[in-house]
Amino acid sequence: MSEKQKQVEKERRGVLELLLQKNGLKRKELVDFLLGVWVAGKLDELTEQEKAQFPNLVF
């Protein structure tokens, strides 16, 4: 990785941390939320039989 790329990555992490702080979020909370959004967007890939494996969830 070039020095420029390392600096960009460092700044990207800094912006993420600053935004998390300003919004009162922890990294795990953001990851959990985004995983939920991703799963919700992929539910159409599951068959009814596969969905039946998760009786406590509403699809």
Side-chain angles (χ1 to χ4, degrees):
M1 188 181 299
S2 73
E3 287 302 314
K4 177 72 172 172
Q5 289 171 318
K6 288 178 185 177
Q7 187 62 30
V8 168
E9 182 60 24
K10 181 179 177 182
E11 290 179 10
R12 189 186 68 80
R13 284 191 308 269
V15 168
L16 172 61
E17 294 304 319
L18 180 58
L19 287 170
L20 288 172
Q21 181 183 12
K22 288 184 70 114
N23 287 278
L25 289 172
K26 303 247 185 289
R27 186 180 288 254
K28 182 179 180 345
E29 293 170 324
L30 177 60
V31 169
D32 288 346
F33 172 77
L34 292 173
L35 284 172
V37 170
W38 181 79
V39 168
K42 297 289 187 179
L43 289 176
D44 60 328
E45 296 180 19
L46 298 177
T47 65
E48 290 303 317
Q49 187 177 28
E50 290 169 330
K51 290 178 183 179
Q53 297 176 46
F54 308 98
N56 295 305
L57 299 179
V58 177
F59 296 105

